[in-house]
Amino acid sequence: MRFRHPDGSTVHLAYCTNVHPAETLDGVLAQLRDHCEPVRRRLGRDRLGIGLWLAADAARTLDSDPAALRTLRAELDRRGLEVVTLNGFPYDGFGAEEVKYRVYKPDWADPERLEHTTALARVLAGLLPEDVTEGSISTLPLAWRTVHDTGRGEKALRTLAERLDALEELTGKSVRVGLEPEPGCVVETTRDALAPLTAIAHPRIGVCVDTCHLATSFEDPDTAVDALTAAGVPIVKSQLSAALHAEHPHLPEVRAALAAFDEPRFLHQTRTSTAAGLRGTDDLGEALGGDTLPDASPWRAHFHVPLHAAPAAPLTSTLPVLRAALTRLIGGPHPRTRHLEVETYTWQALPPELRPRGRTQLADGIAAELTLARDLLTDLGLKELP
């Protein structure tokens, strides 16, 4: 979906296909047919943006086989879909029964992360619509916090920047990559991103602001966005998402409600803001299992809640943080970023009674999320384009 900002520029809105993960090109093509085109039809649009997640196998195929890339490009066109952004965070296995910590491998100290992201950039340059010259890729925020060679990671990102420069010279397409701060990682917050990215100091390497992660870390959207802008760090894209919020985590009924969201597939890092600073656990079950996390103040968990469907009381979502962030990112005289992506990959990880039953309900839910995002943008003065 495209929108005209009051300054005349175009803002793109997509939804991320990691909600229906596939490891191969055939799987990606099936996604377009079975999921993405039905969402577009529900929205009544001739064109829908999707943020593709391409696993390592699919990315290698598309990068090494020009015929495969032409096939994907033709299928996108045939189904009324367009791609200006990729999710380059998960490497593979995102549809596994247990993802947890493996989503952070390989990290930016591993040469395979550089090669994968380079391949994604070349593929994206070949998928961009004819009238679009700028693409974006979100990526791992260096590494999970426990083991990482920061120097090697920053060196790899500098090499990536050089390759992106060469790619634009070759294709005329500009691709930028954004580290996506996430709780528990080396770059956990937007503040953590300032030092490495100002050290790299390249306009093609910036930040992807995920509003679920922003909220989970209790970051103030205005402060975060303004600090990035003041430091000259590009905001490459923003993922529009909401975290799980528990106002009174000391109450037994609140803990029981939270326990329904403690599931085995993904990590749900949980945080609380105390007078001594941010405290947290790596997973929701760990927070619920004892006295590890103080419960005198609200808890937030890294669980991507559908935008239009906050959980029932006594829980809620951090949709207000998303609204505030979007206002800061898009609501001013000029957009701070032009690539927006709804990223709710946890539909099938919701408590059983909230999960969609089949493709039809999932498409309905994704369309409802995009409708809410569209309404937020038009409320900020943007005009939806055909």
Side-chain angles (χ1 to χ4, degrees):
M1 301 166 77
R2 298 187 185 192
F3 297 81
R4 181 73 68 208
H5 191 275
D7 74 348
S9 63
T10 300
V11 173
H12 295 266
L13 172 66
Y15 90 89
C16 186
T17 63
N18 62 356
V19 64
H20 357 266
E23 298 291 317
T24 65
L25 176 57
D26 286 344
V28 172
L29 296 174
Q31 285 177 351
L32 306 185
R33 179 193 66 224
D34 296 339
H35 299 288
C36 302
E37 185 178 12
V39 171
R40 177 183 65 76
R41 292 186 182 279
R42 278 164 175 74
L43 291 166
R45 309 301 300 164
D46 293 333
R47 174 174 53 190
L48 176 66
I50 58 171
L52 273 180
W53 173 63
L54 297 173
D57 182 87
R60 280 192 293 267
T61 298
L62 291 164
D63 185 40
S64 62
D65 184 352
L69 187 60
R70 288 194 297 270
T71 295
L72 177 56
R73 177 67 183 267
E75 192 70 0
L76 289 166
D77 292 342
R78 187 165 78 89
R79 299 194 181 279
L81 306 169
E82 67 178 13
V83 174
V84 303
T85 190
L86 300 180
N87 185 335
F89 195 137
Y91 180 77
D92 61 9
F94 202 62
E97 290 185 4
E98 182 176 324
V99 178
K100 298 290 184 179
Y101 294 95
R102 66 174 287 181
V103 77
Y104 306 105
K105 294 291 185 179
D107 65 31
W108 272 100
D110 186 329
E112 187 53 43
R113 176 61 67 171
L114 172 61
E115 297 310 315
H116 175 60
T117 310
T118 302
L120 291 177
R122 288 193 290 255
V123 169
L124 180 56
L127 293 179
L128 288 174
E130 294 296 335
D131 62 342
V132 174
T133 59
E134 184 177 289
S136 61
I137 301 172
S138 48
T139 190
L140 177 76
L142 293 182
W144 186 251
R145 69 179 184 278
T146 49
V147 180
H148 180 64
D149 185 331
T150 300
R152 287 180 63 187
E154 292 182 7
K155 182 179 178 181
L157 287 168
R158 290 189 179 94
T159 300
L160 176 67
E162 294 170 359
R163 293 179 180 182
L164 296 176
D165 285 342
L167 182 66
E168 183 174 18
E169 289 184 14
L170 180 66
T171 66
K173 303 290 187 178
S174 172
V175 175
R176 298 190 300 167
V177 173
L179 303 183
E180 183 185 328
E182 176 167 314
C185 292
V186 172
V187 176
E188 175 158 342
T189 66
T190 56
R191 186 183 303 109
D192 295 334
L194 297 178
L197 292 180
T198 53
I200 293 168
H202 196 287
R204 297 197 195 280
I205 310 296
V207 161
C208 167
V209 176
D210 183 299
T211 59
C212 171
H213 303 170
L214 191 80
T216 302
S217 295
F218 287 85
E219 289 198 78
D220 173 70
D222 290 353
T223 302
V225 172
D226 289 353
L228 292 169
T229 302
V233 173
I235 301 175
V236 171
K237 66 186 278 190
S238 179
Q239 288 174 325
L240 307 184
S241 53
L244 190 63
H245 180 95
E247 186 69 18
H248 302 292
H250 65 286
L251 296 176
E253 60 269 28
V254 175
R255 291 196 172 223
L258 284 170
F261 288 83
D262 179 26
E263 54 82 38
R265 188 171 174 187
F266 301 110
L267 275 186
H268 301 294
Q269 302 93 313
T270 304
R271 298 288 184 267
T272 187
S273 182
T274 72
L278 202 64
R279 296 281 301 278
T281 61
D282 284 356
D283 215 345
L284 180 56
E286 184 184 350
L288 293 169
D291 299 326
T292 306
L293 198 62
D295 60 7
S297 299
W299 286 3
R300 289 176 179 173
H302 172 217
F303 195 115
H304 289 237
V305 178
L307 301 187
H308 68 293
L315 304 178
T316 188
S317 80
T318 60
L319 185 62
V321 177
L322 184 158
R323 292 177 186 271
L326 194 61
T327 298
R328 200 64 164 189
L329 288 167
I330 305 296
H334 305 287
R336 312 278 185 108
T337 186
R338 291 187 294 275
H339 290 179
L340 306 173
E341 179 182 62
V342 171
E343 195 211 17
T344 307
Y345 58 82
T346 45
W347 277 95
Q348 300 300 341
L350 290 166
E353 67 276 10
L354 301 178
R355 294 175 194 167
R357 293 186 294 276
R359 294 175 185 169
T360 297
Q361 286 193 357
L362 178 59
D364 289 343
I366 293 169
E369 289 195 284
L370 285 166
T371 297
L372 185 148
R374 178 195 65 195
D375 292 347
L376 292 178
L377 291 173
T378 56
D379 287 348
L380 290 172
L382 279 70
K383 180 181 179 182
E384 187 174 6
L385 298 174

